[in-house]
Amino acid sequence: MRVKQFLVLPKLPPEIAKLQELANNLWYSWSWDVVSLFIRLDADIWEKCCQNPVEMLSRLPQHVLERAAKDEAFLTSLDKVYRKHQEYLSRKKWFQEKFEDYQSDPVAYFSLEYGLDTGLPVYSGGLGVLSGDTLKAGSDLGLPMVAMGLLYRYGYFRQFLSSDGWQQERYQENDWYHMPVQLVKDAEGQALKVTVMLNQVPVRIQIWKVSVGLIPLYLLDTNIPENSSKAREITSVLYGGDKDMRIRQEIVLGVGGVRALEAMGVKPSIFHSNEGHSWFLTLERLRKLIEEENLSLAEAAQYVWSTTVFTTHTPVPAGNEKFDPVLVQRYMGEMVAGLGMKWEDFLSVGRINPEDDLEHFGMTVAALKFSAFCNGVSKLHARVSRDMWHHIWPNLPREEVPIRPITNGVHPSSWISHDMKELFESYFGHQFVEHPGSPEMWERVERIPGIELWRTHSKRRERLVFFARKRLKQQLQRRGATHIEVKKAGQYLDPHVLTIGFARRFSTYKRGNLIFSDLDRLDKILNSQKRPIQIIMAGKAHPLDNPGKEIIKDIIQHTADPRFRNRIIFLEDYDINVARYLVQGADVWLNNPRRPLEASGTSGMKAALNGGLHLSVLDGWWDEGYDESNGFKIGNGEEYDDTKVQDHLEAEALYETLEREVIPSFYGRNDVDIPETWVAKMKAAIRSAGEDFSAHRMLKDYTEQFYIPAIDACRELSTDNFAQNRNLAAWLDRVSGSWDKIAISDIEIPGVGATAHVGETIRVNMKVQLGAITPDDVIVELVSGHLNSQEQFIEYAPTTAALNGEGHDSEGGVYSYSGEVTCDESGRFGVTARVVPKNRHLLHSRKPKLISWW
């Protein structure tokens, strides 16, 4: 059977036609003014459409639209909001003010998922929400950014629980023609398509565009008639299927994404891979440079390395994608051969140990090797990542492994409740709206009277309780509960009681059931006559993560315990909408992962922006974010080899913190029933989260530390037909070929015996054999510092040694160097030396294997 297709659009009266434009830009997801307009049209349909304004406009009865077109008050509000939207799009922003000369140098941001809003379900959890917040903050700051992802037919699964608490999954097909996405078309008005080859079979890809404020997000779609059923399923489910499905998705994202940008005429200066999923974009970039710019493989590789940013997100092994080499060769072998690269050389790119034929191809490893700019997502995570991946740089101390910290942040306007936002605007002024990335404005939280802040937050707690009751009743009805059970659920929770929120992916290391370690003690805490507390929980486990599902089941069984039934509830099908209610209404945000396995975590930042206090293990962002004024800690940052011991001790610490700090602070009220100590902590939490943990701060860090230097490299290396890049690649080839001949000998410290004194500056002389390499090609560094009992540096500081004017052995290539070090403290002290490459066009000298020690 054949079907003739055409698209039926809602017939909006001209007076309210602007609604369509507002509905098709995700700016509405952080503009309560826009949301209010749609709620005014019909609040029930707004909720039934999952807060998707495009679908809502298509479902509204025509008489409702006609009525709105004649409503003067509504039209006045619409005009006001539309002017706000236009002003937002045209206003000069931070990037234009600071980096005016870089506006024509786009950053291409690649991610496998984007969490932008409930009505666009192409995300699963934290990684996607971070990507979404990145685009929103990029729009606020005016970054020249373009984003690439996949359009999933079913998105991520919808969660529901069986009567015994076991997680079930169902997949709901997305109707893209009723969502804020638009098909990209060519000059003839036909769908623009690109092709990738998968196992010698062409796969056609069409492109959809999502407008995120000023940032275009392009989503790739293989579910089109000209593809085979196997090809059509590539973009069916996020994080679904087997390894064969995953590698095909990642090839489409990486290779297809670069081709899609080219087909649309977008020419990024640099590429930013959010996790290793999109690393195959590297091969497509290499191919283009070799075929179109006539670069050699080495020259192309050097240019790609210099213009690539990579963010690693997890210290958990399962989060770092690996593929069997047989699988990689099936899909990428032909492309690799076309680059002129030997297969063994290609596999070594994705291996920590290139000599290990059994090691699988690691996408994170490959991304680290092919990116000049690499970062972890918190200070602690960067340290953990340096430890985790230091074998890629075998001769480099772990402290110098080139993985820097850029701590994650969240987009404030997307997560702060509209009630709290109105309060902030009253006391922060217009700067809160017009300059959302200004950290100094958060100091003004101290101007807000405690009673106003407390009442605003209390209102949000009440809304959370009412929302939770409504969801719980719906859950019970789906499970076939009796009318009496459903009615009782409407009485659960108390809008005036200390409320703890806990919501995240249910992975074992996150320990979702830690608070249930001692049920009798928990009973006393929850059901105290004078100072009770309640807990609202939510979250999903990956469909294949049975241990995670067991934790959810365990929690559900505890919620059925008569002692906890009115005090603990679990909300099914955690999504952005549920998350908003939780972070905006919870008094305390609980987080208890096993340190150091939480790379960053961002839900606590969202709660803090709403005045919620974070109660967490010192892991991820909280390790750097905590101080005694802005929240609570569990333990003191200990790390354990025995997880059972860790769980026992940290459960005890959790109970102790609740009993001794959290609960007394919340219930300690003044004469007008305001918890002054608690409110002071709320202000500190809001200020620290706003100043240090916003996505605006995060993107400013990326811009100043990574994007601008990478764009500078792009400009410098690509001018004059890539002349400078060719020279740099030739220089690296020459230096690398002779590097193993470098040797340091005859280190001498004149006048110093076995001891020296604090404050003494000592001179160090040495001979360095450089062979065919010249002194202009290297830096000779002295490394000095305190030693432990194993003669390893506890801490050290490298200093540059100077080339002496005499002592050059012209035949042997031996040079004399000398430098000075200062003994700043007493104790065991050591000095050594090393040689690293030097070239002003090399972004940093920490290249694998190019370092020689004494």
Side-chain angles (χ1 to χ4, degrees), residues 196-219:
V196 298
M197 298 295 293
L198 292 176
N199 199 14
Q200 300 182 328
V201 175
V203 174
R204 297 284 282 163
I205 305 166
Q206 65 182 8
I207 310 160
W208 299 77
K209 179 183 177 182
V210 180
S211 296
V212 187
L214 289 164
I215 305 293
L217 163 62
Y218 296 103
L219 300 176

PDB file of all heavy atoms in Angstrom, residues 196-219:
ATOM      1  N   VAL A 196      26.285   7.964   4.760  1.00  0.00           N
ATOM      2  CA  VAL A 196      27.456   7.296   5.315  1.00  0.00           C
ATOM      3  C   VAL A 196      27.406   5.842   4.877  1.00  0.00           C
ATOM      4  O   VAL A 196      26.317   5.277   4.670  1.00  0.00           O
ATOM      5  CB  VAL A 196      27.529   7.383   6.859  1.00  0.00           C
ATOM      6  CG1 VAL A 196      27.644   8.812   7.323  1.00  0.00           C
ATOM      7  CG2 VAL A 196      26.337   6.702   7.505  1.00  0.00           C
ATOM      8  N   MET A 197      28.581   5.232   4.754  1.00  0.00           N
ATOM      9  CA  MET A 197      28.668   3.826   4.382  1.00  0.00           C
ATOM     10  C   MET A 197      28.857   2.996   5.651  1.00  0.00           C
ATOM     11  O   MET A 197      29.759   3.252   6.442  1.00  0.00           O
ATOM     12  CB  MET A 197      29.832   3.596   3.434  1.00  0.00           C
ATOM     13  CG  MET A 197      29.729   4.346   2.120  1.00  0.00           C
ATOM     14  SD  MET A 197      28.331   3.811   1.094  1.00  0.00           S
ATOM     15  CE  MET A 197      28.854   2.144   0.675  1.00  0.00           C
ATOM     16  N   LEU A 198      27.984   2.012   5.825  1.00  0.00           N
ATOM     17  CA  LEU A 198      28.086   1.095   6.963  1.00  0.00           C
ATOM     18  C   LEU A 198      28.135  -0.326   6.437  1.00  0.00           C
ATOM     19  O   LEU A 198      27.157  -0.835   5.889  1.00  0.00           O
ATOM     20  CB  LEU A 198      26.897   1.272   7.913  1.00  0.00           C
ATOM     21  CG  LEU A 198      26.831   2.602   8.675  1.00  0.00           C
ATOM     22  CD1 LEU A 198      25.557   2.683   9.511  1.00  0.00           C
ATOM     23  CD2 LEU A 198      28.056   2.786   9.557  1.00  0.00           C
ATOM     24  N   ASN A 199      29.321  -0.953   6.573  1.00  0.00           N
ATOM     25  CA  ASN A 199      29.524  -2.312   6.074  1.00  0.00           C
ATOM     26  C   ASN A 199      29.191  -2.383   4.579  1.00  0.00           C
ATOM     27  O   ASN A 199      28.503  -3.294   4.124  1.00  0.00           O
ATOM     28  CB  ASN A 199      28.672  -3.306   6.870  1.00  0.00           C
ATOM     29  CG  ASN A 199      29.178  -4.735   6.725  1.00  0.00           C
ATOM     30  OD1 ASN A 199      30.299  -4.968   6.255  1.00  0.00           O
ATOM     31  ND2 ASN A 199      28.340  -5.694   7.107  1.00  0.00           N
ATOM     32  N   GLN A 200      29.691  -1.373   3.844  1.00  0.00           N
ATOM     33  CA  GLN A 200      29.555  -1.265   2.392  1.00  0.00           C
ATOM     34  C   GLN A 200      28.117  -1.035   1.928  1.00  0.00           C
ATOM     35  O   GLN A 200      27.795  -1.222   0.755  1.00  0.00           O
ATOM     36  CB  GLN A 200      30.141  -2.514   1.701  1.00  0.00           C
ATOM     37  CG  GLN A 200      31.620  -2.711   1.997  1.00  0.00           C
ATOM     38  CD  GLN A 200      32.210  -3.907   1.279  1.00  0.00           C
ATOM     39  OE1 GLN A 200      31.527  -4.899   1.044  1.00  0.00           O
ATOM     40  NE2 GLN A 200      33.478  -3.802   0.924  1.00  0.00           N
ATOM     41  N   VAL A 201      27.262  -0.631   2.850  1.00  0.00           N
ATOM     42  CA  VAL A 201      25.877  -0.320   2.515  1.00  0.00           C
ATOM     43  C   VAL A 201      25.644   1.168   2.770  1.00  0.00           C
ATOM     44  O   VAL A 201      25.919   1.658   3.876  1.00  0.00           O
ATOM     45  CB  VAL A 201      24.892  -1.160   3.359  1.00  0.00           C
ATOM     46  CG1 VAL A 201      23.455  -0.739   3.074  1.00  0.00           C
ATOM     47  CG2 VAL A 201      25.085  -2.640   3.085  1.00  0.00           C
ATOM     48  N   PRO A 202      25.151   1.913   1.777  1.00  0.00           N
ATOM     49  CA  PRO A 202      24.896   3.348   2.003  1.00  0.00           C
ATOM     50  C   PRO A 202      23.685   3.556   2.910  1.00  0.00           C
ATOM     51  O   PRO A 202      22.644   2.931   2.725  1.00  0.00           O
ATOM     52  CB  PRO A 202      24.639   3.886   0.599  1.00  0.00           C
ATOM     53  CG  PRO A 202      24.173   2.699  -0.190  1.00  0.00           C
ATOM     54  CD  PRO A 202      24.863   1.500   0.397  1.00  0.00           C
ATOM     55  N   VAL A 203      23.848   4.427   3.909  1.00  0.00           N
ATOM     56  CA  VAL A 203      22.760   4.784   4.819  1.00  0.00           C
ATOM     57  C   VAL A 203      22.472   6.272   4.629  1.00  0.00           C
ATOM     58  O   VAL A 203      23.368   7.112   4.768  1.00  0.00           O
ATOM     59  CB  VAL A 203      23.127   4.489   6.282  1.00  0.00           C
ATOM     60  CG1 VAL A 203      22.037   5.002   7.217  1.00  0.00           C
ATOM     61  CG2 VAL A 203      23.336   2.991   6.485  1.00  0.00           C
ATOM     62  N   ARG A 204      21.240   6.573   4.296  1.00  0.00           N
ATOM     63  CA  ARG A 204      20.833   7.955   4.080  1.00  0.00           C
ATOM     64  C   ARG A 204      20.361   8.571   5.397  1.00  0.00           C
ATOM     65  O   ARG A 204      19.698   7.925   6.212  1.00  0.00           O
ATOM     66  CB  ARG A 204      19.718   8.024   3.042  1.00  0.00           C
ATOM     67  CG  ARG A 204      20.140   7.534   1.675  1.00  0.00           C
ATOM     68  CD  ARG A 204      21.001   8.552   0.968  1.00  0.00           C
ATOM     69  NE  ARG A 204      20.211   9.642   0.398  1.00  0.00           N
ATOM     70  CZ  ARG A 204      20.712  10.810   0.025  1.00  0.00           C
ATOM     71  NH1 ARG A 204      21.991  11.077   0.193  1.00  0.00           N
ATOM     72  NH2 ARG A 204      19.918  11.739  -0.498  1.00  0.00           N
ATOM     73  N   ILE A 205      20.702   9.845   5.587  1.00  0.00           N
ATOM     74  CA  ILE A 205      20.401  10.532   6.841  1.00  0.00           C
ATOM     75  C   ILE A 205      19.756  11.872   6.522  1.00  0.00           C
ATOM     76  O   ILE A 205      20.296  12.666   5.745  1.00  0.00           O
ATOM     77  CB  ILE A 205      21.696  10.791   7.649  1.00  0.00           C
ATOM     78  CG1 ILE A 205      22.462   9.481   7.888  1.00  0.00           C
ATOM     79  CG2 ILE A 205      21.380  11.473   8.972  1.00  0.00           C
ATOM     80  CD1 ILE A 205      23.885   9.706   8.370  1.00  0.00           C
ATOM     81  N   GLN A 206      18.604  12.134   7.119  1.00  0.00           N
ATOM     82  CA  GLN A 206      18.010  13.458   7.005  1.00  0.00           C
ATOM     83  C   GLN A 206      18.246  14.228   8.302  1.00  0.00           C
ATOM     84  O   GLN A 206      18.600  13.646   9.333  1.00  0.00           O
ATOM     85  CB  GLN A 206      16.530  13.386   6.666  1.00  0.00           C
ATOM     86  CG  GLN A 206      15.628  12.780   7.696  1.00  0.00           C
ATOM     87  CD  GLN A 206      14.172  12.707   7.220  1.00  0.00           C
ATOM     88  OE1 GLN A 206      13.861  12.985   6.065  1.00  0.00           O
ATOM     89  NE2 GLN A 206      13.279  12.323   8.117  1.00  0.00           N
ATOM     90  N   ILE A 207      18.053  15.536   8.229  1.00  0.00           N
ATOM     91  CA  ILE A 207      18.493  16.430   9.307  1.00  0.00           C
ATOM     92  C   ILE A 207      17.312  17.253   9.799  1.00  0.00           C
ATOM     93  O   ILE A 207      16.562  17.813   8.991  1.00  0.00           O
ATOM     94  CB  ILE A 207      19.609  17.371   8.803  1.00  0.00           C
ATOM     95  CG1 ILE A 207      20.720  16.579   8.093  1.00  0.00           C
ATOM     96  CG2 ILE A 207      20.181  18.192   9.951  1.00  0.00           C
ATOM     97  CD1 ILE A 207      21.580  17.425   7.164  1.00  0.00           C
ATOM     98  N   TRP A 208      17.169  17.323  11.098  1.00  0.00           N
ATOM     99  CA  TRP A 208      16.137  18.154  11.717  1.00  0.00           C
ATOM    100  C   TRP A 208      16.821  19.249  12.536  1.00  0.00           C
ATOM    101  O   TRP A 208      17.879  19.035  13.124  1.00  0.00           O
ATOM    102  CB  TRP A 208      15.258  17.325  12.636  1.00  0.00           C
ATOM    103  CG  TRP A 208      14.505  16.220  11.964  1.00  0.00           C
ATOM    104  CD1 TRP A 208      14.999  15.012  11.555  1.00  0.00           C
ATOM    105  CD2 TRP A 208      13.110  16.220  11.613  1.00  0.00           C
ATOM    106  NE1 TRP A 208      14.012  14.258  10.987  1.00  0.00           N
ATOM    107  CE2 TRP A 208      12.836  14.975  11.009  1.00  0.00           C
ATOM    108  CE3 TRP A 208      12.080  17.136  11.763  1.00  0.00           C
ATOM    109  CZ2 TRP A 208      11.574  14.620  10.548  1.00  0.00           C
ATOM    110  CZ3 TRP A 208      10.811  16.797  11.312  1.00  0.00           C
ATOM    111  CH2 TRP A 208      10.561  15.556  10.705  1.00  0.00           C
ATOM    112  N   LYS A 209      16.179  20.384  12.591  1.00  0.00           N
ATOM    113  CA  LYS A 209      16.743  21.524  13.326  1.00  0.00           C
ATOM    114  C   LYS A 209      15.876  21.874  14.530  1.00  0.00           C
ATOM    115  O   LYS A 209      14.658  21.937  14.435  1.00  0.00           O
ATOM    116  CB  LYS A 209      16.859  22.750  12.419  1.00  0.00           C
ATOM    117  CG  LYS A 209      17.419  23.983  13.125  1.00  0.00           C
ATOM    118  CD  LYS A 209      17.436  25.192  12.201  1.00  0.00           C
ATOM    119  CE  LYS A 209      17.929  26.446  12.925  1.00  0.00           C
ATOM    120  NZ  LYS A 209      17.903  27.638  12.058  1.00  0.00           N
ATOM    121  N   VAL A 210      16.545  22.092  15.657  1.00  0.00           N
ATOM    122  CA  VAL A 210      15.908  22.589  16.870  1.00  0.00           C
ATOM    123  C   VAL A 210      16.537  23.940  17.182  1.00  0.00           C
ATOM    124  O   VAL A 210      17.768  24.051  17.255  1.00  0.00           O
ATOM    125  CB  VAL A 210      16.118  21.628  18.057  1.00  0.00           C
ATOM    126  CG1 VAL A 210      15.436  22.166  19.307  1.00  0.00           C
ATOM    127  CG2 VAL A 210      15.615  20.231  17.729  1.00  0.00           C
ATOM    128  N   SER A 211      15.724  24.968  17.371  1.00  0.00           N
ATOM    129  CA  SER A 211      16.240  26.289  17.743  1.00  0.00           C
ATOM    130  C   SER A 211      16.263  26.401  19.260  1.00  0.00           C
ATOM    131  O   SER A 211      15.220  26.340  19.908  1.00  0.00           O
ATOM    132  CB  SER A 211      15.364  27.394  17.142  1.00  0.00           C
ATOM    133  OG  SER A 211      15.424  27.363  15.736  1.00  0.00           O
ATOM    134  N   VAL A 212      17.467  26.555  19.808  1.00  0.00           N
ATOM    135  CA  VAL A 212      17.638  26.695  21.258  1.00  0.00           C
ATOM    136  C   VAL A 212      18.091  28.124  21.509  1.00  0.00           C
ATOM    137  O   VAL A 212      19.281  28.405  21.608  1.00  0.00           O
ATOM    138  CB  VAL A 212      18.656  25.677  21.807  1.00  0.00           C
ATOM    139  CG1 VAL A 212      18.691  25.724  23.340  1.00  0.00           C
ATOM    140  CG2 VAL A 212      18.330  24.267  21.333  1.00  0.00           C
ATOM    141  N   GLY A 213      17.115  29.044  21.583  1.00  0.00           N
ATOM    142  CA  GLY A 213      17.489  30.446  21.625  1.00  0.00           C
ATOM    143  C   GLY A 213      18.187  30.791  20.325  1.00  0.00           C
ATOM    144  O   GLY A 213      17.615  30.691  19.240  1.00  0.00           O
ATOM    145  N   LEU A 214      19.469  31.146  20.411  1.00  0.00           N
ATOM    146  CA  LEU A 214      20.268  31.491  19.234  1.00  0.00           C
ATOM    147  C   LEU A 214      21.058  30.312  18.677  1.00  0.00           C
ATOM    148  O   LEU A 214      21.689  30.436  17.634  1.00  0.00           O
ATOM    149  CB  LEU A 214      21.238  32.620  19.601  1.00  0.00           C
ATOM    150  CG  LEU A 214      20.604  33.999  19.836  1.00  0.00           C
ATOM    151  CD1 LEU A 214      21.587  34.905  20.560  1.00  0.00           C
ATOM    152  CD2 LEU A 214      20.175  34.623  18.523  1.00  0.00           C
ATOM    153  N   ILE A 215      21.063  29.197  19.390  1.00  0.00           N
ATOM    154  CA  ILE A 215      21.902  28.058  19.011  1.00  0.00           C
ATOM    155  C   ILE A 215      21.101  27.067  18.171  1.00  0.00           C
ATOM    156  O   ILE A 215      20.063  26.579  18.613  1.00  0.00           O
ATOM    157  CB  ILE A 215      22.460  27.327  20.252  1.00  0.00           C
ATOM    158  CG1 ILE A 215      23.220  28.302  21.161  1.00  0.00           C
ATOM    159  CG2 ILE A 215      23.342  26.156  19.830  1.00  0.00           C
ATOM    160  CD1 ILE A 215      24.480  28.858  20.598  1.00  0.00           C
ATOM    161  N   PRO A 216      21.569  26.727  16.965  1.00  0.00           N
ATOM    162  CA  PRO A 216      20.905  25.669  16.198  1.00  0.00           C
ATOM    163  C   PRO A 216      21.422  24.292  16.624  1.00  0.00           C
ATOM    164  O   PRO A 216      22.631  24.056  16.663  1.00  0.00           O
ATOM    165  CB  PRO A 216      21.298  25.982  14.755  1.00  0.00           C
ATOM    166  CG  PRO A 216      22.622  26.673  14.861  1.00  0.00           C
ATOM    167  CD  PRO A 216      22.635  27.397  16.186  1.00  0.00           C
ATOM    168  N   LEU A 217      20.498  23.416  16.953  1.00  0.00           N
ATOM    169  CA  LEU A 217      20.825  22.027  17.251  1.00  0.00           C
ATOM    170  C   LEU A 217      20.301  21.176  16.102  1.00  0.00           C
ATOM    171  O   LEU A 217      19.108  21.226  15.786  1.00  0.00           O
ATOM    172  CB  LEU A 217      20.181  21.594  18.574  1.00  0.00           C
ATOM    173  CG  LEU A 217      20.089  20.083  18.844  1.00  0.00           C
ATOM    174  CD1 LEU A 217      21.475  19.443  18.910  1.00  0.00           C
ATOM    175  CD2 LEU A 217      19.310  19.819  20.137  1.00  0.00           C
ATOM    176  N   TYR A 218      21.180  20.386  15.473  1.00  0.00           N
ATOM    177  CA  TYR A 218      20.779  19.535  14.365  1.00  0.00           C
ATOM    178  C   TYR A 218      20.755  18.078  14.824  1.00  0.00           C
ATOM    179  O   TYR A 218      21.707  17.600  15.452  1.00  0.00           O
ATOM    180  CB  TYR A 218      21.732  19.713  13.183  1.00  0.00           C
ATOM    181  CG  TYR A 218      21.691  21.114  12.623  1.00  0.00           C
ATOM    182  CD1 TYR A 218      22.713  22.029  12.903  1.00  0.00           C
ATOM    183  CD2 TYR A 218      20.623  21.540  11.839  1.00  0.00           C
ATOM    184  CE1 TYR A 218      22.673  23.327  12.408  1.00  0.00           C
ATOM    185  CE2 TYR A 218      20.567  22.832  11.342  1.00  0.00           C
ATOM    186  CZ  TYR A 218      21.596  23.722  11.623  1.00  0.00           C
ATOM    187  OH  TYR A 218      21.529  25.007  11.139  1.00  0.00           O
ATOM    188  N   LEU A 219      19.669  17.403  14.519  1.00  0.00           N
ATOM    189  CA  LEU A 219      19.473  16.019  14.937  1.00  0.00           C
ATOM    190  C   LEU A 219      19.361  15.139  13.693  1.00  0.00           C
ATOM    191  O   LEU A 219      18.565  15.424  12.786  1.00  0.00           O
ATOM    192  CB  LEU A 219      18.217  15.894  15.804  1.00  0.00           C
ATOM    193  CG  LEU A 219      18.217  16.733  17.089  1.00  0.00           C
ATOM    194  CD1 LEU A 219      16.880  16.613  17.810  1.00  0.00           C
ATOM    195  CD2 LEU A 219      19.352  16.316  18.024  1.00  0.00           C
TER     196      LEU A 219
END
